[in-house]
Amino acid sequence: MGSAEKVSWKRVLILAGAIIAFTIGSGFATGQEIIQYYTAYGVKGLLVILVFLVAFLYYNFNFAKAGAEQKFEKGNDVYKHFCGKYVGTFCDYYSTLFCYMSFFVMVGGASSTLHQEYGLPAWVGGVVLTALAVLTVVGGLNSMVDAIGAVGPVIVVLCIAIGVITLIRDGGDIGAGLDIIKNAAYEGAANGETIKSAGSNWLVSGLSYAGFVLLWFASFTAALGSNNKKKELNYGIIGGTVAVCVAIAVVMFAQISNINTPMIGSSDTFVWNADIPNLILAAKIWKPFSAIFAIIVFAGIYTTAVPLLYNPASRFAKEGTSQFKILTIVLGVLGLIVGLFLPFRVLVNIIYVLNGYVGAVLILFMIYKNIKDLMNKKKAN
């Protein structure tokens, strides 16, 4: 075996960490994504996880392979590769816009987290997040991957730890929680209010989740494919995906077992309708722990905000240039201004869900191209 084929497991862990970190952002770390895409469907949330797992591995392997073979000048060129010139160009600009809109969500999540837990003015979290994201993106892709890759595993381990501790203590309440979800018997619900869900059924939710994450990962994974060894990146994708799915399942059942648990000091905020349900779980374990976990949630938001800001900046300016740095700062400041005035919980439901359907359509283009390439290869042989 040649030295070029040797696998650096340290690099694999960093790449897996980057995959984890990019997936676990404000919606995941706060628990809001888990509530809307998984918990809302009760035990069928496991089917949502399965749909996400299959789709996520499929398109990331495709993106990585395309990036390695085509050596795209820009990561977003991957859309033209799979969808053709015209649809690909549309998807290119659309995904860039979506990633930037998702950065607004990160700003809102950071603001809500520090405000809810520490009582800080809403603008503080947004300003701190934007400053950190801008500094990291200006450092370039490799610096970005190393930074968020180191934070990702810590976040997923702590999210799983909260879920496991909660399940050890409250696992016996899962059945009751499933009944509450099935019968929509939510505490404090008024005027027909119910838990927010991402789609009309578990399949739609799974495709939507995989779809909106696709729009995040297309250019990012293609760029990783151009700059990393194939085996190391593939192993990183597998490891990161499995870790994320385990975290989703554990946190989902932890939320189900506490679906009607109220936030300490509140009579109208519960796990099912809270902006940041995971903080309620953390506080139930140990009140001071919620203050610590709020920092972890903030770190999770940061690890996703960084690539979301990098995507639009790298789309319109070459990395490392003064134009790239200026554009990053301008986009960061504009994102901060917009993000501070948009409601976090509603943003997750609207932006992520609607754009998830677009991403799901892109998977169909990818399947079509894979089949077409396979048939052409058989004809050539």
Side-chain angles (χ1 to χ4, degrees):
M1 181 179 292
S3 59
E5 297 176 332
K6 290 181 180 179
V7 174
S8 167
W9 292 106
K10 179 181 178 181
R11 189 60 185 170
V12 169
L13 287 175
I14 290 176
L15 291 169
I19 298 295
I20 293 167
F22 202 178
T23 309
I24 298 180
S26 66
F28 190 108
T30 61
Q32 191 56 236
E33 273 177 27
I34 308 298
I35 282 282
Q36 295 191 27
Y37 283 91
Y38 301 93
T39 303
Y41 301 95
V43 73
K44 290 182 180 178
L46 291 174
L47 296 176
V48 182
I49 293 175
L50 180 61
V51 172
F52 167 69
L53 172 69
V54 173
F56 191 73
L57 287 175
Y58 172 70
Y59 62 64
N60 270 308
F61 283 148
N62 268 276
F63 291 146
K65 182 174 182 291
E69 294 177 350
Q70 303 298 320
K71 301 295 182 183
F72 300 118
E73 183 177 344
K74 294 181 178 179
N76 277 24
D77 289 340
V78 70
Y79 290 112
K80 294 178 183 177
H81 175 73
F82 284 107
C83 303
K85 180 180 179 180
Y86 298 108
V87 175
T89 299
F90 167 78
C91 291
D92 175 5
Y93 285 101
Y94 184 86
S95 68
T96 299
L97 176 62
F98 169 62
C99 283
Y100 187 49
M101 289 169 64
S102 296
F103 179 74
F104 304 163
V105 181
M106 301 303 133
V107 171
S111 300
S112 296
T113 299
L114 299 191
H115 175 68
Q116 178 176 316
E117 184 59 34
Y118 306 112
L120 295 173
W123 61 266
V124 173
V127 169
V128 173
L129 174 75
T130 301
L132 290 174
V134 167
L135 289 173
T136 306
V137 171
V138 166
L141 180 64
N142 289 332
S143 170
M144 180 176 77
V145 171
D146 290 342
I148 70 173
V151 175
V154 176
I155 300 169
V156 77
V157 166
L158 286 172
C159 283
I160 291 176
I162 286 178
V164 168
I165 293 172
T166 299
L167 289 178
I168 290 174
R169 187 194 56 212
D170 303 326
D173 296 327
I174 290 176
L178 290 172
D179 286 339
I180 290 171
I181 293 172
K182 181 179 180 181
N183 299 311
Y186 301 109
E187 287 288 338
N191 301 321
E193 183 185 11
T194 188
I195 192 170
K196 281 188 178 295
S197 61
S200 57
N201 57 62
W202 62 268
L203 179 59
V204 170
S205 182
L207 290 174
S208 175
Y209 192 75
F212 92 74
V213 176
L214 179 151
L215 294 176
W216 286 359
F217 273 90
S219 62
F220 183 62
T221 307
L224 291 180
S226 300
N227 294 282
N228 291 275
K229 294 178 182 178
K230 180 180 178 181
K231 276 190 176 181
E232 291 176 356
L233 180 54
N234 284 346
Y235 288 156
I237 290 171
I238 293 172
T241 304
V242 171
V244 167
C245 288
V246 169
I248 289 172
V250 170
V251 175
M252 179 187 78
F253 281 113
Q255 290 181 345
I256 289 173
S257 67
N258 284 272
I259 198 68
N260 275 343
T261 295
M263 183 174 74
I264 295 176
S266 174
S267 60
D268 58 3
T269 302
F270 305 83
V271 166
W272 71 269
N273 69 346
D275 272 352
I276 311 175
N278 281 358
L279 277 182
I280 297 178
L281 299 182
K284 189 176 179 184
I285 293 173
W286 184 43
K287 182 60 178 75
F289 183 53
S290 66
I292 299 171
F293 186 65
I295 299 299
I296 305 306
V297 169
F298 189 90
I301 295 170
Y302 158 74
T303 62
T304 297
V306 167
L308 291 176
L309 183 58
Y310 172 84
N311 184 291
S314 63
R315 174 62 184 81
F316 296 106
K318 186 176 181 180
E319 181 183 321
T321 63
S322 57
Q323 290 92 337
F324 176 82
K325 296 175 181 178
I326 293 172
L327 181 58
T328 298
I329 295 172
V330 171
L331 290 175
V333 172
L334 288 177
L336 169 65
I337 294 171
V338 175
L340 289 178
F341 291 94
L342 296 176
F344 175 60
R345 187 172 171 228
V346 174
L347 266 180
V348 170
N349 187 261
I350 295 177
I351 292 181
Y352 284 8
V353 173
L354 291 179
N355 287 282
Y357 297 145
V358 175
V361 171
L362 293 181
I363 294 177
L364 297 179
F365 276 94
M366 187 177 293
I367 293 173
Y368 172 75
K369 179 168 176 55
N370 286 164
I371 294 174
K372 183 180 177 181
D373 289 346
L374 183 61
M375 292 177 66
N376 290 337
K377 186 176 181 180
K378 285 184 177 180
K379 288 179 181 180
N381 294 333

